[in-house]
Coordinates of all heavy atoms in Angstrom, one line a residue:
Y93 N -198.8 -253.5 141.0 CA -198.0 -254.7 141.3 C -196.9 -255.0 140.3 O -196.8 -254.3 139.3 CB -199.0 -255.9 141.4 CG -198.5 -257.1 142.2 CD1 -198.2 -256.9 143.6 CD2 -198.2 -258.3 141.6 CE1 -197.7 -258.0 144.3 CE2 -197.7 -259.4 142.3 CZ -197.4 -259.2 143.7 OH -196.9 -260.2 144.4
Y94 N -196.2 -256.1 140.5 CA -195.0 -256.4 139.7 C -195.3 -256.7 138.2 O -194.5 -256.5 137.3 CB -194.2 -257.5 140.3 CG -193.6 -257.2 141.7 CD1 -194.1 -257.8 142.8 CD2 -192.6 -256.2 141.8 CE1 -193.6 -257.5 144.1 CE2 -192.1 -255.9 143.0 CZ -192.6 -256.5 144.2 OH -192.2 -256.2 145.4
N95 N -196.6 -257.1 137.9 CA -196.9 -257.4 136.5 C -197.1 -256.0 135.8 O -197.3 -256.0 134.6 CB -198.2 -258.2 136.4 CG -199.4 -257.6 137.1 OD1 -199.3 -257.0 138.2 ND2 -200.5 -257.8 136.5
D96 N -197.1 -254.9 136.5 CA -197.1 -253.6 135.9 C -195.7 -253.0 135.7 O -195.6 -251.9 135.2 CB -198.0 -252.6 136.8 CG -199.4 -253.1 136.9 OD1 -200.0 -253.5 135.9 OD2 -200.0 -253.0 138.0
W97 N -194.7 -253.7 136.2 CA -193.3 -253.1 136.2 C -192.9 -252.7 134.8 O -192.5 -251.5 134.7 CB -192.4 -254.2 136.8 CG -190.9 -253.8 136.8 CD1 -190.0 -253.8 135.8 CD2 -190.3 -253.2 138.0 NE1 -188.8 -253.3 136.3 CE2 -188.9 -253.0 137.6 CE3 -190.7 -253.0 139.3 CZ2 -188.0 -252.5 138.5 CZ3 -189.7 -252.5 140.2 CH2 -188.4 -252.2 139.8
D98 N -193.0 -253.5 133.8 CA -192.5 -253.2 132.5 C -193.3 -252.0 131.9 O -192.8 -251.1 131.2 CB -192.6 -254.4 131.6 CG -191.5 -255.4 131.9 OD1 -190.4 -255.1 132.3 OD2 -191.8 -256.6 131.8
M99 N -194.6 -252.0 132.2 CA -195.5 -250.9 131.7 C -195.0 -249.6 132.3 O -194.9 -248.6 131.6 CB -196.9 -251.2 132.2 CG -197.9 -250.1 131.9 SD -199.6 -250.5 132.5 CE -199.5 -250.2 134.2
L100 N -194.8 -249.6 133.6 CA -194.4 -248.4 134.3 C -193.0 -247.9 133.8 O -192.7 -246.7 133.8 CB -194.4 -248.6 135.8 CG -195.8 -248.9 136.4 CD1 -195.7 -249.2 137.8 CD2 -196.8 -247.7 136.1
Q101 N -192.1 -248.8 133.5 CA -190.8 -248.5 133.0 C -190.8 -248.0 131.6 O -189.8 -247.3 131.1 CB -189.9 -249.8 133.0 CG -189.5 -250.2 134.4 CD -188.3 -249.5 135.0 OE1 -188.3 -248.2 135.1 NE2 -187.3 -250.2 135.4
T102 N -191.9 -248.2 130.9 CA -192.0 -247.8 129.4 C -192.6 -246.4 129.2 O -192.1 -245.7 128.3 CB -192.8 -248.9 128.7 OG1 -192.2 -250.2 128.9 CG2 -192.9 -248.6 127.2
V103 N -193.6 -246.1 130.0 CA -194.3 -244.8 129.7 C -193.6 -243.6 130.2 O -192.6 -243.7 131.0 CB -195.7 -244.9 130.3 CG1 -196.5 -246.0 129.7 CG2 -195.7 -245.0 131.8
G104 N -194.0 -242.4 129.8 CA -193.4 -241.2 130.2 C -193.7 -240.8 131.6 O -192.9 -240.2 132.3
L105 N -194.9 -241.0 132.0 CA -195.4 -240.7 133.4 C -195.9 -241.9 134.1 O -197.1 -242.2 134.1 CB -196.5 -239.6 133.3 CG -197.1 -239.1 134.6 CD1 -196.0 -238.7 135.6 CD2 -198.1 -238.0 134.4
P106 N -195.0 -242.6 134.7 CA -195.5 -243.8 135.5 C -196.0 -243.4 136.9 O -195.4 -242.5 137.6 CB -194.2 -244.6 135.7 CG -193.1 -243.6 135.6 CD -193.6 -242.5 134.7
A107 N -197.1 -244.0 137.3 CA -197.8 -243.7 138.5 C -198.2 -245.0 139.2 O -198.4 -246.0 138.5 CB -199.0 -242.8 138.3
C108 N -198.3 -245.0 140.5 CA -198.7 -246.2 141.2 C -199.7 -245.9 142.3 O -199.8 -244.8 142.9 CB -197.5 -246.9 141.9 SG -196.6 -245.9 143.1
A109 N -200.5 -246.9 142.6 CA -201.4 -246.8 143.8 C -200.6 -246.8 145.1 O -199.5 -247.3 145.1 CB -202.4 -248.0 143.7
G110 N -201.2 -246.2 146.1 CA -200.5 -246.0 147.3 C -200.0 -247.3 148.0 O -199.0 -247.3 148.7
Q111 N -200.8 -248.4 147.8 CA -200.5 -249.6 148.5 C -199.5 -250.5 147.7 O -199.1 -251.6 148.1 CB -201.7 -250.5 148.7 CG -202.3 -251.3 147.6 CD -203.0 -250.5 146.5 OE1 -203.2 -249.2 146.7 NE2 -203.5 -251.1 145.4
A112 N -199.0 -250.0 146.6 CA -198.0 -250.8 145.7 C -196.7 -251.1 146.5 O -196.4 -250.3 147.4 CB -197.7 -250.0 144.5
P113 N -196.0 -252.1 146.2 CA -194.8 -252.4 146.9 C -193.8 -251.3 146.7 O -193.8 -250.5 145.8 CB -194.3 -253.7 146.1 CG -195.5 -254.3 145.6 CD -196.4 -253.2 145.2
S114 N -192.9 -251.2 147.7 CA -191.9 -250.0 147.7 C -191.1 -250.0 146.5 O -190.8 -248.9 146.0 CB -191.0 -250.1 148.9 OG -190.3 -251.4 148.9
S115 N -190.7 -251.1 145.9 CA -189.9 -251.1 144.7 C -190.7 -250.5 143.5 O -190.1 -249.9 142.6 CB -189.4 -252.5 144.3 OG -190.5 -253.4 144.2
I116 N -192.0 -250.7 143.5 CA -192.8 -250.0 142.4 C -192.8 -248.5 142.6 O -192.7 -247.7 141.7 CB -194.3 -250.6 142.4 CG1 -194.3 -252.1 142.1 CG2 -195.1 -249.8 141.5 CD1 -193.9 -252.5 140.7
H117 N -193.0 -248.1 143.9 CA -192.9 -246.6 144.2 C -191.6 -246.0 143.6 O -191.7 -244.9 143.1 CB -193.1 -246.4 145.7 CG -194.5 -246.5 146.2 ND1 -195.3 -245.4 146.4 CD2 -195.2 -247.6 146.5 CE1 -196.5 -245.8 146.8 NE2 -196.4 -247.1 146.9
K118 N -190.5 -246.7 143.8 CA -189.2 -246.1 143.4 C -189.1 -245.8 141.9 O -188.3 -245.0 141.5 CB -188.1 -247.1 143.8 CG -187.9 -247.2 145.3 CD -186.9 -248.2 145.7 CE -186.7 -248.3 147.2 NZ -185.7 -249.3 147.7
I119 N -189.9 -246.5 141.1 CA -189.7 -246.3 139.6 C -190.8 -245.3 139.1 O -190.9 -245.1 137.9 CB -189.8 -247.6 138.8 CG1 -191.1 -248.3 139.0 CG2 -188.6 -248.5 139.2 CD1 -191.3 -249.5 138.0
C120 N -191.7 -244.9 140.0 CA -192.8 -244.0 139.6 C -192.5 -242.5 139.8 O -191.8 -242.2 140.7 CB -194.1 -244.4 140.3 SG -194.7 -246.0 139.7
K121 N -193.0 -241.7 138.9 CA -192.9 -240.3 139.0 C -194.1 -239.6 139.7 O -194.0 -238.4 140.1 CB -192.7 -239.6 137.6 CG -191.5 -240.1 136.9 CD -191.4 -239.4 135.5 CE -190.2 -239.9 134.8 NZ -190.1 -239.3 133.4
F122 N -195.2 -240.4 139.9 CA -196.3 -239.9 140.6 C -196.8 -241.0 141.5 O -197.1 -242.1 141.0 CB -197.4 -239.4 139.7 CG -198.6 -238.8 140.4 CD1 -198.6 -237.5 140.9 CD2 -199.8 -239.6 140.6 CE1 -199.7 -237.0 141.5 CE2 -200.9 -239.1 141.2 CZ -200.9 -237.8 141.7
E123 N -197.0 -240.7 142.8 CA -197.5 -241.6 143.8 C -198.9 -241.2 144.2 O -199.1 -240.1 144.8 CB -196.6 -241.7 144.9 CG -195.2 -242.2 144.6 CD -194.2 -242.2 145.7 OE1 -194.2 -243.1 146.5 OE2 -193.4 -241.2 145.8
A124 N -199.9 -242.0 143.9 CA -201.3 -241.7 144.2 C -201.7 -242.3 145.5 O -200.9 -242.9 146.2 CB -202.2 -242.2 143.1
C125 N -202.9 -242.0 145.9 CA -203.5 -242.6 147.2 C -203.7 -244.1 147.0 O -203.6 -244.7 146.0 CB -204.7 -241.8 147.5 SG -206.1 -242.1 146.3
H126 N -204.2 -244.7 148.1 CA -204.6 -246.1 148.1 C -205.7 -246.3 147.1 O -206.5 -245.4 147.0 CB -205.0 -246.5 149.5 CG -205.1 -247.9 149.8 ND1 -206.2 -248.7 149.2 CD2 -204.4 -248.8 150.4 CE1 -206.1 -249.9 149.6 NE2 -205.0 -250.1 150.3
C127 N -205.7 -247.5 146.5 CA -206.7 -247.7 145.5 C -208.2 -247.6 146.1 O -209.1 -247.3 145.3 CB -206.5 -249.1 144.9 SG -206.8 -250.5 146.0
N128 N -208.3 -247.9 147.3 CA -209.7 -247.8 147.9 C -210.2 -246.3 147.9 O -211.4 -246.1 148.0 CB -209.7 -248.3 149.4 CG -209.5 -249.8 149.5 OD1 -209.4 -250.5 148.5 ND2 -209.3 -250.3 150.7
K129 N -209.3 -245.4 147.8 CA -209.7 -244.0 147.9 C -209.8 -243.3 146.5 O -210.1 -242.1 146.4 CB -208.7 -243.2 148.8 CG -208.7 -243.7 150.2 CD -207.7 -242.9 151.1 CE -207.7 -243.4 152.5 NZ -206.8 -242.6 153.4
G130 N -209.4 -244.0 145.4 CA -209.5 -243.4 144.1 C -208.2 -243.0 143.5 O -208.0 -241.8 143.2
C131 N -207.2 -243.9 143.4 CA -205.9 -243.5 142.9 C -205.9 -243.0 141.4 O -205.1 -242.2 141.1 CB -204.9 -244.6 143.1 SG -205.3 -246.2 142.3
V132 N -206.7 -243.6 140.6 CA -206.8 -243.2 139.2 C -207.2 -241.7 139.1 O -206.7 -240.9 138.3 CB -207.7 -244.1 138.4 CG1 -207.9 -243.5 137.0 CG2 -207.2 -245.5 138.4
A133 N -208.2 -241.3 140.0 CA -208.6 -239.9 140.0 C -207.5 -239.0 140.4 O -207.4 -237.9 139.9 CB -209.8 -239.8 141.0
D134 N -206.7 -239.5 141.4 CA -205.5 -238.7 141.8 C -204.6 -238.3 140.6 O -204.2 -237.2 140.4 CB -204.7 -239.5 142.8 CG -205.0 -239.1 144.3 OD1 -206.0 -238.4 144.5 OD2 -204.3 -239.6 145.1
L135 N -204.3 -239.3 139.8 CA -203.5 -239.1 138.6 C -204.2 -238.2 137.6 O -203.5 -237.3 137.1 CB -203.2 -240.5 137.9 CG -202.4 -240.4 136.6 CD1 -201.1 -239.7 136.8 CD2 -202.2 -241.8 136.0
L136 N -205.4 -238.4 137.3 CA -206.1 -237.6 136.3 C -206.2 -236.2 136.8 O -206.1 -235.2 136.0 CB -207.5 -238.2 136.0 CG -207.5 -239.6 135.3 CD1 -208.9 -240.1 135.1 CD2 -206.8 -239.4 133.9

């Protein structure tokens, strides 16, 4: 979500859950699955 925006803009590898808003997807280098399916596992 948008409260993660600055965090994602700061790190080297920004990633987002699949259901994140489209503007969040645009700033991420890795797009994971929906959080219900295990998006953190996708990144790891």
Side-chain angles (χ1 to χ4, degrees):
Y93 201 66
Y94 296 111
N95 59 321
D96 298 316
W97 180 277
D98 290 325
M99 172 180 79
L100 297 172
Q101 290 276 56
T102 302
V103 301
L105 177 54
C108 63
Q111 81 283 358
S114 59
S115 55
I116 297 293
H117 280 263
K118 289 177 182 178
I119 64 170
C120 288
K121 296 179 180 179
F122 181 81
E123 298 173 81
C125 64
H126 193 286
C127 66
N128 291 354
K129 297 180 180 180
C131 60
V132 175
D134 264 9
L135 173 60
L136 292 174

